Amino acid sequence: MRKIYIDYNATTPLRAEVKAALIDDFEIFGNASSMHASGRTARARIEKAREDVGALIGAGNGTIVFTSGGSEANNTVFQTMSRIADKSRSEILVTSIEHPCVMNSAQNLKDNGFNVNILPVDEYGKLNIDELEKALNSNTLFVSVMAANNEIGTIQDIKKITSLVKKKGALMHIDAVQAAGKIAVNAQELQADYLTVSAHKIYGPKGVGALYARKGVPLFPLVHGGHQEDGLRAGTYNNSGILGFGKAAELASAEIEKYAKEMSVLRDKLRLGLTEKIPNIKINGHPFDVLPNTLNVSFPGAEGEAILLSMDMQGIEASTGSACASGSLEPSHVLIATGLGPEMAHGSIRFSLGWGITEDDINYIIETMPPVIARLRAMSTC
Ligand SMILES: *Cc1c(COP(=O)(O)O)cnc(C)c1O
């Protein structure tokens, strides 16, 4: 049977070049903290990977700390904030559509008595700038806003947001896990104090990510132990993971324009095809400030998990913002935050494209979806 993986915002397969580099890198077994030749070899390659990851996000002379992924990097930032909060600055702002690892880090601080304020977004998922300006005050410690959303692809006006945050003297964290490699991300130009990336969203291995910290900003380790990463993240270096991340970052930097062009052409074709062939659907996310690979569609009258299962039987792998059939009636917090009603949110499917998706695949999806939706709408119970 045909198989079309179109869920690249969930994770990506390894690029062939990354896989080849990883296999090669498994030979590099030395402990990068050791002084002998094996250790030095591993260390040199890790530092090269650090440069490649730094180049992808315009890190300049900032610090790049390797972590176990985007989640750990984001947790490290929130942990640091809990350490530096004091009477003069204690308030934390996040948007209502952040990734669960930011949402729950914020909730954790709230549960521990910190002052956390969740800012609303508009119908396209853009942070409401007026609300941000109203919320910012001389007590604001730190603001965390994702550069682009994983579910609907909406890209925030980060430069504008950062300049407002800086005017109040607060710190700015950007979760750029979905943006890196898809659109230009430059930590220095964006005036980020902290910025998060993850390897497995850019065709690198799972279980490795990085936190950028601007030179001089506070940073405390989440994982305590040895002196690795200048004491900012203990634990023996994940040689192959880090080296694979470096390779993936190098490729992403070189191909970012080609990526945006190719993905948006295919994505637009899919959007047009579905809109023409299926009545009464809604495209979620911003109409043009959106990741080139992301298309989130609501099919009211059909339930997300049922749609996914039917698609899966036809070999199409995507994802949904609904969890109706699994018993938890909680639809996606992102779609709800954009003001979507439960029916629209439950009937939503995210298509996220990546290298490997062809025009033929898109045509197949456009042919396959209309009967699936028609059948489910006819027997809808949700
Ligand atoms: C995937 C993702 C993360 C988490 O990264 P992991 O490496 O999987 O821990 C964080 N933020 C966003 C926006 C993501 O899409």
Side-chain angles (χ1 to χ4, degrees):
M1 191 185 61
R2 188 169 187 148
K3 191 179 114 170
I4 301 171
Y5 181 84
I6 189 159
D7 200 14
Y8 286 80
N9 286 7
T11 196
T12 57
L14 292 171
R15 286 280 294 269
E17 299 92 326
V18 175
K19 195 168 166 182
L22 269 178
I23 290 169
D24 182 38
D25 293 335
F26 278 129
E27 306 288 330
I28 309 300
F29 74 95
N31 185 324
S33 304
S34 300
M35 288 175 68
H36 48 56
S38 292
R40 291 197 309 271
T41 299
R43 185 57 184 255
R45 292 178 70 153
I46 282 170
E47 296 314 317
K48 161 78 166 68
R50 204 184 305 278
E51 276 170 29
D52 289 333
V53 171
L56 175 67
I57 56 168
N61 66 354
T63 305
I64 296 282
V65 181
F66 286 114
T67 66
S68 68
S71 298
E72 185 189 317
N74 286 343
N75 273 266
T76 303
V77 175
F78 277 80
Q79 167 78 10
T80 294
M81 292 307 123
S82 74
R83 290 275 300 269
I84 64 170
D86 59 21
K87 273 205 197 78
S88 66
R89 280 190 189 270
S90 62
E91 199 172 324
I92 291 163
L93 304 178
V94 302
T95 83
S96 53
I97 61 165
E98 296 302 309
H99 188 272
C101 64
V102 165
M103 283 288 148
N104 290 331
S105 291
Q107 185 62 44
N108 175 51
L109 292 193
K110 200 170 181 174
D111 292 345
N112 283 290
F114 288 88
N115 185 356
V116 177
N117 194 348
I118 298 174
L119 300 173
V121 296
D122 68 14
E123 62 180 305
Y124 304 117
K126 283 242 195 189
L127 172 59
N128 188 319
I129 299 289
D130 290 343
E131 294 288 338
L132 173 67
E133 283 192 286
K134 258 191 262 165
L136 281 168
N137 64 72
S138 60
N139 189 249
T140 308
L141 172 65
F142 146 86
V143 180
S144 180
V145 180
M146 69 205 319
N149 183 268
N150 45 310
E151 291 188 35
I152 55 178
T154 296
I155 298 168
Q156 301 295 342
D157 304 321
I158 289 287
K159 261 194 179 153
K160 197 193 268 177
I161 293 167
T162 312
S163 69
L164 291 171
V165 171
K166 295 274 144 172
K167 246 188 241 161
K168 290 287 177 194
L171 291 161
M172 179 75 192
H173 169 240
I174 302 169
D175 178 345
V177 171
Q178 289 294 341
K182 294 181 181 141
I183 56 173
V185 171
N186 188 304
Q188 290 171 291
E189 277 175 23
L190 294 172
Q191 288 191 276
D193 293 300
Y194 309 95
L195 187 141
T196 299
V197 282
S198 174
H200 77 100
K201 304 278 172 69
I202 60 164
Y203 307 88
K206 289 164 184 57
V208 56
L211 175 62
Y212 159 88
R214 189 168 60 79
K215 202 176 164 71
V217 297
L219 191 58
F220 292 98
L222 190 66
V223 181
H224 299 272
H227 294 296
Q228 293 90 354
E229 299 290 74
D230 281 335
L232 293 171
R233 203 278 185 180
T236 301
Y237 285 92
N238 172 7
N239 294 358
S240 59
I242 292 169
L243 302 183
F245 189 8
K247 188 70 193 176
E250 186 189 328
L251 290 168
S253 297
E255 295 175 352
I256 196 153
E257 276 161 38
K258 183 165 173 268
Y259 175 91
K261 216 180 273 168
E262 290 189 19
M263 295 307 145
S264 59
V265 167
L266 292 172
R267 189 268 320 272
D268 292 350
K269 187 178 166 68
L270 178 59
R271 180 174 55 204
L272 186 67
L274 295 178
T275 310
E276 280 179 351
K277 297 218 159 147
I278 307 176
N280 188 24
I281 71 174
K282 180 183 181 297
I283 307 297
N284 300 312
H286 200 276
F288 45 85
D289 282 343
V290 63
L291 291 173
N293 76 321
T294 306
L295 179 66
N296 190 303
V297 190
S298 284
F299 302 96
E303 201 280 313
E305 283 193 348
I307 303 172
L308 267 201
L309 291 175
S310 299
M311 288 168 65
D312 193 31
M313 286 196 298
Q314 313 259 14
I316 306 168
E317 299 178 330
S319 72
T320 175
S322 165
C324 183
S326 64
S328 126
L329 277 162
E330 289 282 301
S332 146
H333 72 286
V334 174
L335 295 175
I336 294 299
T338 65
L340 232 56
E343 191 194 20
M344 284 288 194
H346 276 304
S348 70
I349 297 292
R350 176 187 70 187
F351 300 94
S352 47
L353 290 71
W355 295 123
I357 292 284
T358 63
E359 197 170 349
D360 223 33
D361 295 335
I362 297 297
N363 287 330
Y364 177 78
I365 298 170
I366 293 170
E367 274 165 41
T368 308
M369 290 302 291
V372 165
I373 299 299
R375 186 174 56 81
L376 291 172
R377 278 177 171 167
M379 53 181 257
S380 167
T381 55
C382 191

